[in-house]
């Protein structure tokens, strides 16, 4: 941008924006067409793109991407290191599951009931996040991380305890399809669920974009760099942080609700703190602070996880001596190691790697954030 | 370079006997410092001679403390810092200090939850620290050796902070606002302690109190907007009310707006 | 009455475990500002290797138990020191990245433990006396609780003594208060980092062996499940405060036992509620320093 003259900048900026929107639109259109195409990428997808297996995997990756985007609002935009974000995803998945089981009024058609249930679930995610946030945000930095972790753990405990048979305990909760539109039910409709996941991802992306561009987004980004500067202009960072935290919670709940439909059920695994750690890994892997970094990270992580799991069960691995077999048969060990290497040697993540060729350095804003973090943690 | 013409200084004679052009103990060239990405020191260059007191002056918030902290590597910095003939601008703080720098920070920064003795023990770098000297300078601290430093008065804390720097045989002291917020009596004691120290070790001093500057400084370096705007003999600046007003924003007496300085001027 | 005593002593025993994990976490955080997610792995690896050695010596004897504890502490210390030296140190002063690295390490090591020792719990054999009970005021208390409490107290005393009477202890105490100033006195504070990690790792490794006596088994997740409670304990006690960690460990564990017994197994939730209450009333924790709410 800077190499352009002052006169050309407005025009060029506008042109860039148009190109960006066009490219984004084209990408979404391509993704939307994928179920109608027959593309095979051996080693990445389990089968051609029109098969339910591949569509399921891609839809899963897109929902994780939506979730990672909502986490990006917290960690990337606001610099809030939350270890409890899985709680809201679980709230979305379990919330919709429970509402669909318990909420079935006569005066509403099944389709309307379904829509109302989804709305209730997302509102629930927002309210839960507002409550958790209002407490957790009383502390900042590392304490905040620990406190959100504690809440997530509490959520996980509740889910496993199966209060009044609501959550199904260790077994998890299966989807009650009574009021679910039939085009979202069954393996034959995986294609529709794929489109639903794509829709959720686009919606979440747009909301995240909107929040980032809004006044609250600017303020909360400023609080990341310098708490004091924001206080000086008379805004309490607490309020905007809470707002962003709650919106992120609602978006996570939306992704969770779609996840329930895609998987026709939900297991307590999504409520565990480990699941949030996975999210953190995804966001950092993709590149902190970048929207498409979160999306990229989610897709890469999901595909890697899937492929590594397949690899772990293969004969190739089984034939190796223990020293190699044991680590290679543990996808999480490999992903964790990869993550450590990225943190140590690739601070900009995968997106930073791509940017490295394009621009000069991806490290500027990260540096500033690190120092700001130091300021708030000591 | 160092040619103090002020007769009231008891050290004048000893300094006169030094060669007129000694190698500076500290050379700062094009020093830049940043805190959280913000430039707080900008292209600062000056020398600290091998003897006497060099005062680093300037209005509040001009970057004096940041300059000292950049020299020590306590904040992110670039530029050339040469200490006793070798470059130290890439060294971590502890290595710079180990080469013989004593640091008396702004606001004293004693360890509040450690006792006086523990504060001092922690600071000892030499095999044979000058405990006797410190005890002679600050008899108060001997009595309070078992007391937690956090419970000391401001003046006593400043003595702990000074003592930490004087325990070791240093080649340079960096002393940042040693009289800030102290009562006139304590200001006098601190000033005398620094004067005694200056007989054996060069000092780079940041100070607001003009009386203290007059008493201690041989040379002055004035910062404005993060840059050096004046370097020279202390007398050249201090005898010129107009310069004082321009560079330090105070009248040559006490500044009524600056209560700290006002209260701290010894009678 | 006997129930009360039983709950109290069992709570103290569990609190001892929490303390063994939380003491290291709190010290590490206090000195370095690092939230160490890998701390649970130090505990797990200490437990596994401690028992492996003990099993090869003579299963179920006191000697083997002592060996397990010593080996566990040593392994924990080595693992922790290596973590500090090879991973944390490279990211000096970049706290978020330091946390991230420990997160990665925690994920990777738990997976590795599962690969090596399997996903099922490994049951341990300890001296028969530990499995028996002793009657106090009508309460039949499992003997292992006494061992846990005694060793936690021993660890507390040892750490306090180390902090009070050694040069490293002095540097660590000063560093917790103001690390920058320690550096400015010419001290390489990074060496103290390794020491703190090693101490914390040793306590955790010992805690691992004791935790497996308490639960009767070792599993790849034994560390991570204790870690979350240790986090809560450090926040309630006040980050960086060893005394706070000790007090909060006992309070949290006893509260948990009582809630589990009297409120229908809601111990875990009661602990989180207690955390919320502490945050509302006193965000810096029971014994946390002023301004260290972050």
């Amino acid at each position: 941008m800077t190499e352009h003259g002052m006169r050309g900048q407005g025009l060029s900026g506008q042109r860039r924006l148009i190109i960006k929107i066009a490219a984004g639109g084209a990408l979404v259109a391509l993704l939307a067409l994928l179920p109608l195409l027959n593309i095979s990428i051996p080693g990445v997808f389990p089968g051609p793109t029109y098969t339910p297996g591949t569509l399921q995997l891609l839809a899963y990756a897109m929902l994780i991407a939506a979730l990672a985007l909502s986490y990006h609002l917290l960690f990337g935009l606001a610099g809030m290191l939350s270890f409890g974000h899985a709680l809201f995803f679980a709230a979305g998945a379990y919330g919709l599951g429970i509402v669909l089981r318990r909420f079935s009024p006569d005066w509403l058609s099944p389709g309307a009931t379904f829509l109302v249930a989804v709305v209730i679930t997302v509102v629930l995610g927002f309210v839960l996040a507002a409550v958790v946030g209002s407490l957790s945000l009383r502390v900042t930095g590392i304490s905040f991380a620990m406190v959100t972790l504690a809440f997530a753990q509490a959520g996980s405990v509740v889910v496993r305890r199966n209060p009044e048979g609501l959550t199904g305990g260790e077994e998890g909760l299966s989807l009650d399809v009574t009021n679910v539109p039939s085009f979202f039910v069954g393996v034959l409709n995986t294609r529709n669920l794929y489109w639903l996941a794509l829709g959720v991802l686009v919606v979440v992306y747009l909301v995240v974009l909107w929040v980032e561009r809004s006044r609250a987004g600017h303020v909360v980004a400023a609080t990341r760099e310098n708490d004091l500067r924001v206080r000086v202009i008379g805004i309490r960072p607490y309020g905007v942080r809470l707002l962003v935290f709650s919106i992120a919670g609602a978006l996570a709940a939306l992704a969770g609700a779609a996840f329930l439909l895609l998987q026709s059920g939900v297991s307590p695994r999504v409520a565990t703190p480990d699941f949030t750690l996975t999210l953190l890994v995804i966001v950092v892997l993709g590149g902190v602070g970048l929207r498409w970094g979160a999306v990229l990270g989610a897709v890469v992580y999901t595909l890697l996880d899937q492929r590594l799991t397949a690899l772990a069960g293969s004969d190739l691995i089984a034939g190796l001596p223990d020293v190699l077999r044991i680590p290679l048969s543990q996808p999480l060990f490999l992903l964790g190691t990869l993550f450590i290497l990225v943190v140590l040697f690739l601070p900009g993540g995968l997106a930073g790697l791509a940017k490295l060729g394009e621009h000069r350095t991806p490290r500027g804003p990260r540096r500033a954030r690190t120092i700001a973090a130091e300021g708030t943690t000591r | 370079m160092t040619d103090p013409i002020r007769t009231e200084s008891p050290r004048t004679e000893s300094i006169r006997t030094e060669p007129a052009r000694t190698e500076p103990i500290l050379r700062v060239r094009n020093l830049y410092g940043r805190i959280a990405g913000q430039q707080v020191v900008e292209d600062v260059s000056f020398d600290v001679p091998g003897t006497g007191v060099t005062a680093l002056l300037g209005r509040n918030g001009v970057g004096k403390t940041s300059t000292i902290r950049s020299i020590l590597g306590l904040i992110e910095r670039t530029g050339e810092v040469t200490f006793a003939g070798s470059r130290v601008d890439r060294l971590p703080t502890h290595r710079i200090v180990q080469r013989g720098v004593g640091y008396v920070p702004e606001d004293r920064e004693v360890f509040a939850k450690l006792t006086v003795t523990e504060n001092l023990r922690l600071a000892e770098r030499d095999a044979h620290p000058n405990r006797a000297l410190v005890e002679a300078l600050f008899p108060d601290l001997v009595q309070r050796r078992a007391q937690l430093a956090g419970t000391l008065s401001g003046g006593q804390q400043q003595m702990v902070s000074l003592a930490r720097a004087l325990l070791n045989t240093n080649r340079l002291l960096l002393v940042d606002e040693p009289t800030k917020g102290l009562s006139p009596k304590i200001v006098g004691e601190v000033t005398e302690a620094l004067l005694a120290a200056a007989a054996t070790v060069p000092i780079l001093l940041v100070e607001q109190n003009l009386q203290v500057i007059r008493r201690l400084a041989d040379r002055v370096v004035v910062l404005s907007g993060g840059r050096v705007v004046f370097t020279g003999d202390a007398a050249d600046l201090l005898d010129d009310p107009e310069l004082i007003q321009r560079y330090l924003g105070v009248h040559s007496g006490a500044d009524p707006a600056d209560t700290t300085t006002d209260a701290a001027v010894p009678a | 009455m006997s129930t009360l005593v039983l709950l109290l002593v069992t709570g103290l025993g569990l609190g001892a475990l929490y303390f063994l994990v939380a003491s290291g976490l709190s010290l590490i955080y206090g000195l370095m500002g690092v939230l160490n997610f890998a701390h649970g792995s130090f505990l797990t690896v200490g437990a596994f290797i401690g028992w492996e050695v003990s099993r090869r010596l003579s299963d179920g004897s006191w000697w083997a138990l002592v060996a397990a504890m010593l080996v566990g502490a040593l392994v924990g210390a080595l693992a922790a020191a290596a973590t500090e030296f090879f991973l944390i140190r490279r990211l000096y002063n970049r706290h978020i990245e330091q946390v991230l690295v420990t997160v990665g390490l925690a994920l990777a090591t738990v997976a590795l433990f599962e690969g090596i020792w399997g996903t099922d719990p490994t049951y341990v054999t300890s001296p028969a006396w530990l499995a028996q009970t002793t009657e106090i005021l009508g309460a039949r208390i499992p003997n292992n609780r006494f061992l846990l409490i005694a060793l936690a107290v021993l660890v507390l005393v040892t750490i306090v003594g180390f902090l009070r009477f050694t040069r490293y202890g002095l540097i660590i105490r000063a560093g917790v208060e103001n690390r920058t100033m320690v550096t400015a006195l010419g001290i390489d504070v990074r060496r103290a980092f390794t020491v703190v990690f090693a101490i914390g790792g040793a306590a955790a490794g010992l805690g691992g062996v004791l935790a497996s006596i308490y639960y009767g088994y070792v599993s790849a997740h034994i560390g991570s499940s204790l870690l979350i409670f240790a986090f809560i304990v450090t926040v309630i006690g006040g980050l960086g405060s060893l005394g706070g960690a000790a007090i909060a460990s006992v309070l949290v564990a006893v509260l948990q036992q009582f809630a589990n017994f009297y409120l229908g197994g809601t111990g875990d939730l009661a602990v989180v509620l207690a955390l919320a209450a502490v945050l509302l009333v006193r965000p810096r924790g029971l014994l946390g320093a002023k301004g260290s709410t972050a």
Side-chain angles (χ1 to χ4, degrees), chain A residues 5-368:
Chain A
M6 283 296 281
R7 215 151 41 102
Q9 196 165 357
L11 189 68
S12 151
Q14 213 167 22
R15 191 178 296 160
R16 273 181 71 105
L17 187 68
I18 291 169
I19 292 172
K20 260 182 165 172
I21 292 173
L27 184 65
V28 171
L30 177 71
L31 285 172
L33 285 174
L34 223 47
L36 308 174
L37 303 174
N38 180 1
I39 304 172
S40 296
I41 310 178
V44 178
F45 298 149
T49 47
Y50 65 86
T51 56
T54 301
L55 287 179
Q56 170 85 17
L57 177 64
L58 285 174
Y60 182 89
M62 288 193 294
L63 289 181
I64 297 297
L67 179 60
L69 267 175
S70 71
Y71 190 69
H72 153 82
L73 268 190
L74 295 183
F75 184 52
L77 179 70
M80 297 189 268
L81 183 56
S82 166
F83 282 109
H85 201 55
L87 182 60
F88 310 118
F89 184 76
Y94 276 99
L96 183 63
I98 293 166
V99 172
L100 282 175
R101 276 165 188 266
R102 304 279 162 128
F103 173 79
S104 185
D106 301 332
W107 42 272
L108 270 180
S109 70
T113 307
F114 176 73
L115 282 180
V116 171
V118 170
V119 170
I120 291 177
T121 303
V122 173
V123 170
L124 183 87
F126 185 89
V127 171
L128 182 66
V131 172
V132 169
S134 63
L135 277 171
S136 318
L137 286 165
R138 290 175 57 83
V139 288
T140 52
I142 298 295
S143 290
F144 174 78
M146 292 197 193
V147 172
T148 48
L149 179 73
F151 278 113
Q153 176 66 14
S156 176
V157 168
V158 169
V159 165
R160 283 179 200 279
R161 284 174 57 86
N162 192 16
E164 294 173 29
L166 276 176
T167 59
E170 296 290 337
E171 301 291 304
L173 194 65
S174 62
L175 177 66
D176 179 353
V177 295
T178 316
N179 288 321
V180 179
S182 57
F183 50 85
F184 282 152
V185 179
V187 177
L188 289 176
N189 286 317
T190 305
R191 188 197 282 188
N192 297 332
L193 289 166
Y194 170 87
W195 281 321
L196 173 74
L198 180 61
V200 167
L201 177 58
V202 170
V203 167
V204 170
Y205 188 93
L206 292 176
V207 173
V208 167
L209 183 69
W210 173 67
V211 171
E212 277 191 37
R213 299 273 163 91
S214 71
R215 188 171 147 71
H218 288 297
V219 170
V220 90
T223 63
R224 178 188 72 206
E225 305 292 341
N226 192 339
D227 209 81
L228 198 65
R229 201 186 300 160
V230 176
R231 285 180 199 278
V232 166
I233 57 172
I235 298 170
R236 281 177 66 226
Y238 181 85
V240 278
R241 280 191 183 139
L242 183 57
L243 182 65
V244 169
F245 190 89
S246 309
I247 293 174
L251 294 178
L254 178 65
F259 184 83
L260 175 82
L261 297 175
L262 180 69
Q263 306 282 79
S264 335
V266 56
S267 77
R269 185 183 66 88
V270 300
T272 58
D274 272 8
F275 194 66
T276 307
L277 296 190
T278 312
L279 274 186
L280 186 63
V281 169
I282 285 171
V283 170
V284 174
L285 192 68
V288 181
L290 296 164
R291 279 186 305 277
W292 65 277
V295 177
L296 184 70
V299 173
V300 169
Y301 184 93
T302 311
L303 293 180
L304 260 182
D305 189 25
Q306 208 262 352
R307 288 290 92 190
L308 288 174
T309 310
L311 180 76
S314 69
D315 296 340
L316 180 73
I317 296 293
L320 290 172
D322 275 3
V323 193
L324 289 173
R325 184 184 55 80
I326 289 173
L328 288 179
S329 60
Q330 295 292 331
L332 253 183
F333 172 75
L334 297 174
L335 286 167
T337 309
L338 172 70
F339 176 68
I340 293 173
L341 293 176
V342 166
V343 173
L344 285 178
F345 302 111
L346 201 63
L350 294 175
L353 193 67
K355 260 202 155 171
L356 213 61
E358 197 182 315
H359 294 289
R360 282 188 314 271
T361 164
R363 297 192 58 162
R366 282 182 63 83
R367 263 283 160 76

Side-chain angles (χ1 to χ4, degrees), chain B residues 204-225:
Chain B
L204 178 61
L205 172 75
V206 171
E207 181 55 69
Q208 302 270 12
N209 183 326
L210 270 179
Q211 304 285 27
V212 175
I213 298 168
R214 275 181 208 286
R215 183 94 175 102
L216 292 174
D218 303 299
R219 284 168 44 85
V220 292
V221 174
V222 181
L223 291 183
S224 179

Side-chain angles (χ1 to χ4, degrees), chain C residues 182-241:
Chain C
V182 174
T183 322
L185 292 176
I187 296 162
D188 185 0
V189 80
R190 286 175 305 179
R191 260 192 251 155
F193 292 174
T194 318
V195 172
V196 161
F197 255 83
I199 294 174
L206 174 64
V209 173
L210 293 175
S212 39
I213 295 176
Y214 183 91
Y215 295 117
Y217 63 85
V218 204
S219 84
H221 295 274
I222 195 166
S224 28
S225 50
L226 274 171
L227 184 68
I228 290 178
F229 289 104
F231 278 152
I232 296 176
V233 161
T234 45
V235 174
I236 291 183
L239 284 164
S241 161

Side-chain angles (χ1 to χ4, degrees), chain A residues 138 146 161 339 366 374 376, chain C residues 35 95 97 100 265 280 294:
Chain A
R138 290 175 57 83
M146 292 197 193
R161 284 174 57 86
F339 176 68
R366 282 182 63 83
E374 156 99 308
T376 53
Chain C
L35 175 64
H95 295 308
E97 277 91 339
L100 296 181
L280 277 173

